[in-house]
PDB file of all heavy atoms in Angstrom:
ATOM      1  N   VAL I  25     -10.321  24.951  -3.999  1.00 51.00           N
ATOM      2  CA  VAL I  25      -9.869  23.630  -3.578  1.00 51.00           C
ATOM      3  C   VAL I  25     -10.194  23.453  -2.096  1.00 51.00           C
ATOM      4  O   VAL I  25      -9.795  24.273  -1.271  1.00 51.00           O
ATOM      5  CB  VAL I  25      -8.353  23.457  -3.801  1.00 51.00           C
ATOM      6  CG1 VAL I  25      -7.905  22.087  -3.341  1.00 51.00           C
ATOM      7  CG2 VAL I  25      -8.018  23.666  -5.274  1.00 51.00           C
ATOM      8  N   ASP I  36       2.547  15.746   6.508  1.00 79.00           N
ATOM      9  CA  ASP I  36       2.598  15.842   7.960  1.00 79.00           C
ATOM     10  C   ASP I  36       2.707  14.445   8.565  1.00 79.00           C
ATOM     11  O   ASP I  36       2.316  13.444   7.960  1.00 79.00           O
ATOM     12  CB  ASP I  36       1.344  16.532   8.493  1.00 79.00           C
ATOM     13  CG  ASP I  36       1.248  17.977   8.041  1.00 79.00           C
ATOM     14  OD1 ASP I  36       2.312  18.593   7.832  1.00 79.00           O
ATOM     15  OD2 ASP I  36       0.118  18.478   7.869  1.00 79.00           O
ATOM     16  N   SER I  71     -17.731   5.878  18.544  1.00 92.00           N
ATOM     17  CA  SER I  71     -18.765   4.942  18.987  1.00 92.00           C
ATOM     18  C   SER I  71     -18.253   3.513  18.865  1.00 92.00           C
ATOM     19  O   SER I  71     -17.246   3.253  18.197  1.00 92.00           O
ATOM     20  CB  SER I  71     -20.024   5.117  18.143  1.00 92.00           C
ATOM     21  OG  SER I  71     -19.794   4.694  16.812  1.00 92.00           O
ATOM     22  N   THR I  75     -15.734   1.999  16.051  1.00 92.00           N
ATOM     23  CA  THR I  75     -14.523   1.286  16.450  1.00 92.00           C
ATOM     24  C   THR I  75     -14.478  -0.102  15.833  1.00 92.00           C
ATOM     25  O   THR I  75     -13.405  -0.583  15.424  1.00 92.00           O
ATOM     26  CB  THR I  75     -14.454   1.178  17.989  1.00 92.00           C
ATOM     27  OG1 THR I  75     -14.474   2.499  18.541  1.00 92.00           O
ATOM     28  CG2 THR I  75     -13.198   0.469  18.436  1.00 92.00           C
ATOM     29  N   ASN I  94     -18.385  -6.614  -5.826  1.00 62.00           N
ATOM     30  CA  ASN I  94     -19.742  -6.381  -6.311  1.00 62.00           C
ATOM     31  C   ASN I  94     -20.578  -5.542  -5.351  1.00 62.00           C
ATOM     32  O   ASN I  94     -21.762  -5.326  -5.576  1.00 62.00           O
ATOM     33  CB  ASN I  94     -20.447  -7.719  -6.564  1.00 62.00           C
ATOM     34  CG  ASN I  94     -19.747  -8.534  -7.637  1.00 62.00           C
ATOM     35  OD1 ASN I  94     -19.299  -7.995  -8.642  1.00 62.00           O
ATOM     36  ND2 ASN I  94     -19.643  -9.844  -7.418  1.00 62.00           N
ATOM     37  N   THR I 111       2.358 -13.742  15.107  1.00 86.00           N
ATOM     38  CA  THR I 111       2.652 -12.859  16.239  1.00 86.00           C
ATOM     39  C   THR I 111       2.542 -13.618  17.550  1.00 86.00           C
ATOM     40  O   THR I 111       3.401 -13.488  18.445  1.00 86.00           O
ATOM     41  CB  THR I 111       1.682 -11.667  16.245  1.00 86.00           C
ATOM     42  OG1 THR I 111       1.815 -10.941  15.027  1.00 86.00           O
ATOM     43  CG2 THR I 111       1.967 -10.745  17.419  1.00 86.00           C
ATOM     44  N   ILE I 114       5.628 -15.797  18.071  1.00 91.00           N
ATOM     45  CA  ILE I 114       6.818 -15.055  18.497  1.00 91.00           C
ATOM     46  C   ILE I 114       6.752 -14.752  19.989  1.00 91.00           C
ATOM     47  O   ILE I 114       7.735 -14.956  20.725  1.00 91.00           O
ATOM     48  CB  ILE I 114       6.958 -13.750  17.686  1.00 91.00           C
ATOM     49  CG1 ILE I 114       7.350 -14.058  16.247  1.00 91.00           C
ATOM     50  CG2 ILE I 114       8.004 -12.827  18.326  1.00 91.00           C
ATOM     51  CD1 ILE I 114       7.461 -12.843  15.364  1.00 91.00           C
ATOM     52  N   MET I 143      13.055  -7.926  14.859  1.00 90.00           N
ATOM     53  CA  MET I 143      12.564  -7.973  13.486  1.00 90.00           C
ATOM     54  C   MET I 143      11.055  -7.754  13.448  1.00 90.00           C
ATOM     55  O   MET I 143      10.533  -6.995  12.621  1.00 90.00           O
ATOM     56  CB  MET I 143      12.906  -9.320  12.837  1.00 90.00           C
ATOM     57  CG  MET I 143      12.369  -9.473  11.422  1.00 90.00           C
ATOM     58  SD  MET I 143      12.705 -11.094  10.726  1.00 90.00           S
ATOM     59  CE  MET I 143      14.473 -10.960  10.450  1.00 90.00           C
ATOM     60  N   LEU I 173     -12.753  -4.725   0.565  1.00 64.00           N
ATOM     61  CA  LEU I 173     -11.489  -5.460   0.523  1.00 64.00           C
ATOM     62  C   LEU I 173     -10.635  -5.094  -0.685  1.00 64.00           C
ATOM     63  O   LEU I 173      -9.429  -4.863  -0.536  1.00 64.00           O
ATOM     64  CB  LEU I 173     -11.760  -6.968   0.557  1.00 64.00           C
ATOM     65  CG  LEU I 173     -10.585  -7.838   1.002  1.00 64.00           C
ATOM     66  CD1 LEU I 173     -10.068  -7.398   2.356  1.00 64.00           C
ATOM     67  CD2 LEU I 173     -10.979  -9.301   1.033  1.00 64.00           C
ATOM     68  N   ARG I 233      -8.501   8.488 -18.683  1.00 53.00           N
ATOM     69  CA  ARG I 233      -9.940   8.592 -18.480  1.00 53.00           C
ATOM     70  C   ARG I 233     -10.319   9.725 -17.523  1.00 53.00           C
ATOM     71  O   ARG I 233     -11.488   9.945 -17.251  1.00 53.00           O
ATOM     72  CB  ARG I 233     -10.488   7.270 -17.942  1.00 53.00           C
ATOM     73  CG  ARG I 233     -10.329   6.130 -18.940  1.00 53.00           C
ATOM     74  CD  ARG I 233     -10.885   4.833 -18.390  1.00 53.00           C
ATOM     75  NE  ARG I 233     -10.734   3.760 -19.352  1.00 53.00           N
ATOM     76  CZ  ARG I 233     -11.106   2.497 -19.111  1.00 53.00           C
ATOM     77  NH1 ARG I 233     -11.640   2.187 -17.945  1.00 53.00           N
ATOM     78  NH2 ARG I 233     -10.935   1.565 -20.029  1.00 53.00           N
ATOM     79  N   GLN I 273      10.608 -11.068  -6.883  1.00 86.00           N
ATOM     80  CA  GLN I 273       9.628 -11.182  -5.813  1.00 86.00           C
ATOM     81  C   GLN I 273       9.590 -12.594  -5.255  1.00 86.00           C
ATOM     82  O   GLN I 273       9.520 -12.793  -4.041  1.00 86.00           O
ATOM     83  CB  GLN I 273       8.243 -10.782  -6.337  1.00 86.00           C
ATOM     84  CG  GLN I 273       7.200 -10.620  -5.252  1.00 86.00           C
ATOM     85  CD  GLN I 273       5.922  -9.985  -5.778  1.00 86.00           C
ATOM     86  OE1 GLN I 273       5.732  -9.864  -6.981  1.00 86.00           O
ATOM     87  NE2 GLN I 273       5.047  -9.580  -4.880  1.00 86.00           N
ATOM     88  N   THR I 274       9.663 -13.597  -6.138  1.00 89.00           N
ATOM     89  CA  THR I 274       9.676 -14.994  -5.690  1.00 89.00           C
ATOM     90  C   THR I 274      10.936 -15.291  -4.881  1.00 89.00           C
ATOM     91  O   THR I 274      10.887 -15.964  -3.843  1.00 89.00           O
ATOM     92  CB  THR I 274       9.596 -15.940  -6.897  1.00 89.00           C
ATOM     93  OG1 THR I 274       8.391 -15.670  -7.635  1.00 89.00           O
ATOM     94  CG2 THR I 274       9.597 -17.396  -6.446  1.00 89.00           C
ATOM     95  N   LEU I 283      14.783 -17.676   6.105  1.00 87.00           N
ATOM     96  CA  LEU I 283      15.626 -16.971   7.074  1.00 87.00           C
ATOM     97  C   LEU I 283      15.528 -17.526   8.500  1.00 87.00           C
ATOM     98  O   LEU I 283      16.562 -17.732   9.158  1.00 87.00           O
ATOM     99  CB  LEU I 283      15.285 -15.480   7.058  1.00 87.00           C
ATOM    100  CG  LEU I 283      16.243 -14.548   7.793  1.00 87.00           C
ATOM    101  CD1 LEU I 283      17.654 -14.657   7.214  1.00 87.00           C
ATOM    102  CD2 LEU I 283      15.757 -13.103   7.708  1.00 87.00           C
ATOM    103  N   ALA I 285      15.080 -20.429   9.406  1.00 87.00           N
ATOM    104  CA  ALA I 285      15.687 -21.764   9.483  1.00 87.00           C
ATOM    105  C   ALA I 285      17.198 -21.700   9.686  1.00 87.00           C
ATOM    106  O   ALA I 285      17.833 -22.734   9.949  1.00 87.00           O
ATOM    107  CB  ALA I 285      15.371 -22.559   8.215  1.00 87.00           C
ATOM    108  N   SER I 287      18.866 -20.461  12.188  1.00 87.00           N
ATOM    109  CA  SER I 287      19.218 -20.877  13.555  1.00 87.00           C
ATOM    110  C   SER I 287      19.106 -22.385  13.708  1.00 87.00           C
ATOM    111  O   SER I 287      19.896 -23.015  14.432  1.00 87.00           O
ATOM    112  CB  SER I 287      18.311 -20.174  14.562  1.00 87.00           C
ATOM    113  OG  SER I 287      16.949 -20.456  14.301  1.00 87.00           O
ATOM    114  N   ILE I 310       9.822 -24.447  17.456  1.00 89.00           N
ATOM    115  CA  ILE I 310       8.763 -24.322  16.446  1.00 89.00           C
ATOM    116  C   ILE I 310       8.280 -22.867  16.355  1.00 89.00           C
ATOM    117  O   ILE I 310       8.045 -22.340  15.266  1.00 89.00           O
ATOM    118  CB  ILE I 310       7.589 -25.265  16.775  1.00 89.00           C
ATOM    119  CG1 ILE I 310       8.025 -26.727  16.631  1.00 89.00           C
ATOM    120  CG2 ILE I 310       6.396 -24.977  15.878  1.00 89.00           C
ATOM    121  CD1 ILE I 310       6.978 -27.729  17.070  1.00 89.00           C
ATOM    122  N   GLY I 315       7.201 -18.398  13.531  1.00 84.00           N
ATOM    123  CA  GLY I 315       6.736 -17.068  13.902  1.00 84.00           C
ATOM    124  C   GLY I 315       7.342 -15.919  13.119  1.00 84.00           C
ATOM    125  O   GLY I 315       6.613 -15.026  12.654  1.00 84.00           O
TER     126      GLY I 315
END
Side-chain angles (χ1 to χ4, degrees):
V25 179
D36 295 330
S71 68
T75 302
N94 298 320
T111 300
I114 289 178
M143 177 183 288
L173 200 55
R233 296 180 180 178
Q273 191 170 12
T274 301
L283 192 59
S287 58
I310 293 174

